Amino acid sequence: MSHKYEKNQPISGDLLGGHYATMAEEEKLERSLGNRHIQLIAIGGAIGTGLFMGSGKTLAVSGTSILLTYTIIGFFFFFVMRAMGELLLSNTHYKSFADFATAYLGPWAGFFLGWSYWLSWIVTAIADIIVIGGYAQFWFPDMPAWIPAFFTISLLTVLNLLTVKLFGEMEFWFALIKIIAIIVFLCIGVYLIAIGFTSPDGVKASLSHITESGSIFPYGVSGFLSGFQIAVFAFMGIELVGTTAAETKNPEEVLPKAINTIPVRILLFYVGALVCIIAVTSWAKISPNQSPFVHMFTLIGLPAAASLVNFVVATSAMSSANSGIFATSRMLYGLSVEKDAPIWFKKLSSRKVPVNSLLFSMLCVVIGASILFFVPNVMKAFTIISTLTSILIIFTFAMILISYLAYRKKAPHLHESSVYKMPGGNFMAWMTLVFLGFVTVILALDHDTMIALVCSPIWFIGLYIAYKRHSKRDLERAWILQHGKRIEK
């Protein structure tokens, strides 16, 4: 069978992200995730370890100005998600954002973005696994953190080897636990503030703690800026709706719903929860080495409630790790389909799970989680790992925006016909890119984050070498995605 490609024709229905095989020639991921799965995955992605664990450190260094930090980051990241949504819906055969990057920027972009996003979730899963070890120490203080960490890795590997539908169900219930817990937490916080509750150590719950002297910028502008690193990490996961696109039923209906609720989730889960913590405990009582959610109930003299909240935040970390495992295995599968990764990563099990991609990703998580043997302090290990994730997610989001700008230039007809246009268009895309550059500069101001920033070019240099060595690709692929249609003779 021979092929030729006709210029300026719509993309053929069997061009899945550039891989022009027929349905009979290649196994496909199943579209078995429904609306309730995607909605809860999107919400669960916005409530993770960065909020439950990392917000303690950001509060400690930034004071109550962290409320402004989360609001600013959430505002700009919403536009990244809208850009991603418009691009994914412009061609529902895109399996993830690596595909539209390939289409509009070239094969190199899909290669760099795919592998970098894979690494970002590997690192995130490692961070979550590390934190689970810390949460277990709340109940078993003498237990080494690596024991619960490696138990969690084994459990999640087995569960993910089953079916995509099971992943959706796990995330549905994990996310539901988090949502109910946050809502209950907010209700308790509002009640304590309303009655003017006074904790055993004499702190009275009041909204005045948000603006009290020395709490807004306790360490000046530098402290405010340093809070951006972990705050950016906290938002890792909101883009998961993009990686589930290939396994989503009715993406035209489901994806916009999931993306449009992001601002509400940010205001409720991030800003609302932190307002309650600050108002009930006061900024001065926040511990940088413990989850402020658990710490709040400990301070007000309710250790049983603190234990329950610790269980919730532990399941939250497990949920985030589970999402990371899903994202890495699917991204590696996509890279293999695009011939950017070894072909054996493309293998699907009888249950339509990319088994080799999953097992290789879990091996990387095991190696990374071994940092607990060398850095037994959970919070220190978490900070080291989360900084690298922040850099990678900034790169990922920047590539999504650059792809959007290229799409607006190269496919204006698709933008005009889009029913889900990004608000602000090119202007907000450029403004958000400037913001991402600003955050990158901030990372250079702190010693710990500077180390990760300086080391990160090693990854991109390695990717460049790998791309040049065994990706002498068919450059026709990017042209096909933009202009081509397969015509069979």
Side-chain angles (χ1 to χ4, degrees):
M1 180 170 61
S2 62
H3 310 290
K4 72 176 182 178
Y5 301 93
E6 191 173 278
K7 189 176 181 181
N8 296 326
Q9 294 296 321
I11 297 172
S12 174
D14 59 359
L15 288 176
L16 300 185
H19 186 72
Y20 38 96
T22 65
M23 292 295 288
E25 290 172 338
E26 183 186 325
E27 294 182 288
K28 299 294 188 294
L29 296 172
E30 288 188 316
R31 289 189 180 271
S32 55
L33 298 180
N35 180 62
R36 69 183 179 94
H37 297 123
I38 297 302
Q39 295 299 328
L40 270 291
I41 288 170
I43 294 173
I47 313 170
T49 310
L51 173 62
F52 282 129
M53 187 71 170
S55 56
K57 183 170 183 179
T58 52
L59 277 167
V61 299
S62 300
T64 59
S65 64
I66 193 61
L67 299 175
L68 180 60
T69 302
Y70 277 108
T71 303
I72 292 171
I73 295 173
F75 172 79
F76 283 107
F77 281 9
F78 172 67
F79 289 98
V80 178
M81 295 303 100
R82 285 300 300 261
M84 179 185 74
E86 181 176 341
L87 281 163
L88 286 173
L89 293 178
S90 70
N91 181 351
T92 55
H93 293 304
Y94 292 145
K95 295 183 295 297
S96 71
F97 35 78
D99 289 336
F100 61 64
T102 297
Y104 292 105
L105 300 178
W108 69 269
F111 183 86
F112 274 69
L113 182 54
W115 278 108
S116 294
Y117 188 69
W118 171 82
L119 180 64
S120 69
W121 267 112
I122 287 291
V123 176
T124 300
I126 292 168
D128 291 324
I129 295 295
I130 287 171
V131 167
I132 288 170
Y135 289 145
Q137 288 179 330
F138 178 84
W139 296 298
F140 309 102
D142 296 327
M143 177 186 290
W146 65 266
I147 294 178
F150 284 95
F151 172 78
T152 302
I153 291 173
S154 302
L155 176 64
L156 293 181
T157 301
V158 172
L159 292 175
N160 273 272
L161 281 171
L162 299 178
T163 65
V164 175
K165 187 71 175 291
L166 180 60
F167 163 79
E169 289 298 327
M170 283 193 297
E171 276 308 289
F172 177 83
W173 292 107
F174 275 147
L176 195 59
I177 290 172
K178 288 190 282 189
I179 292 165
I180 292 173
I182 285 283
I183 292 173
V184 171
F185 179 86
L186 289 170
C187 291
I188 293 172
V190 170
Y191 172 74
L192 294 174
I193 296 167
I195 67 172
F197 176 82
T198 302
S199 66
D201 59 355
V203 177
K204 183 178 180 179
S206 171
L207 290 173
S208 64
H209 291 313
I210 296 172
T211 57
E212 64 189 1
S213 177
S215 67
I216 300 179
F217 294 104
Y219 300 107
V221 175
S222 61
F224 169 67
L225 295 178
S226 64
F228 275 80
Q229 181 266 315
I230 289 186
V232 167
F233 172 78
F235 282 89
M236 176 72 177
I238 62 172
E239 79 298 328
L240 269 175
V241 291
T243 62
T244 57
E247 294 166 277
T248 304
K249 299 173 184 176
N250 305 317
E252 298 89 346
E253 178 184 345
V254 172
L255 292 182
K257 285 182 180 179
I259 292 172
N260 288 341
T261 56
I262 288 175
V264 176
R265 297 201 303 269
I266 291 168
L267 288 174
L268 180 64
F269 299 134
Y270 284 80
V271 179
L274 292 177
V275 164
C276 287
I277 290 171
I278 296 166
V280 173
T281 65
S282 86
W283 168 78
K285 299 291 183 179
I286 300 296
S287 169
N289 296 314
Q290 186 180 7
S291 168
F293 292 81
V294 177
H295 195 53
M296 187 185 93
F297 286 104
T298 303
L299 282 176
I300 64 178
L302 296 173
S307 183
L308 179 60
V309 172
N310 192 70
F311 168 76
V312 171
V313 296
T315 60
S316 170
M318 187 174 290
S319 167
S320 181
N322 190 44
S323 296
I325 292 164
F326 176 89
T328 55
S329 60
R330 269 56 182 183
M331 187 59 74
L332 195 52
Y333 166 83
L335 286 166
S336 183
V337 169
E338 301 302 318
K339 301 178 183 177
D340 287 333
I343 193 170
W344 57 278
F345 285 131
K346 192 170 64 173
K347 177 180 172 59
L348 295 179
S349 70
S350 60
R351 300 175 184 270
K352 302 298 182 183
V353 173
V355 58
N356 290 339
S357 296
L358 174 64
L359 293 176
F360 178 76
S361 296
M362 292 310 298
L363 175 62
C364 294
V365 172
V366 169
I367 294 171
S370 300
I371 191 176
L372 287 170
F373 292 111
F374 308 102
V375 186
N377 182 287
V378 170
M379 194 62 214
K380 186 173 182 180
F382 173 75
T383 302
I384 293 171
I385 294 297
S386 64
T387 301
L388 180 56
T389 304
S390 297
I391 294 168
L392 292 169
I393 201 63
I394 288 170
F395 172 77
T396 298
F397 285 4
M399 291 293 285
I400 290 173
L401 292 167
I402 294 169
S403 298
Y404 173 81
L405 291 170
Y407 149 83
R408 288 291 303 273
K409 183 178 181 181
K410 296 178 179 180
H413 60 289
L414 291 179
H415 172 71
E416 288 302 320
S417 62
S418 173
V419 295
Y420 192 59
K421 294 183 174 70
M422 173 186 170
N426 286 346
F427 174 77
M428 283 311 304
W430 280 110
M431 289 297 294
T432 307
L433 280 170
V434 170
F435 171 73
L436 293 175
F438 164 74
V439 175
T440 304
V441 172
I442 289 174
L443 296 177
L445 302 179
D446 182 84
H447 178 265
D448 291 339
T449 55
M450 179 64 176
I451 293 173
L453 187 63
V454 170
C455 292
S456 60
I458 297 173
W459 167 254
F460 294 106
I461 292 171
L463 282 182
Y464 176 79
I465 294 171
Y467 180 74
K468 285 296 183 183
R469 281 189 60 186
H470 47 141
S471 272
K472 291 183 178 178
R473 313 153 51 82
D474 186 359
L475 296 179
E476 185 182 53
R477 185 162 65 89
W479 181 86
I480 294 167
L481 279 169
Q482 293 174 36
H483 309 289
K485 178 182 178 182
R486 194 181 74 176
I487 299 176
E488 298 182 11
K489 290 183 177 179

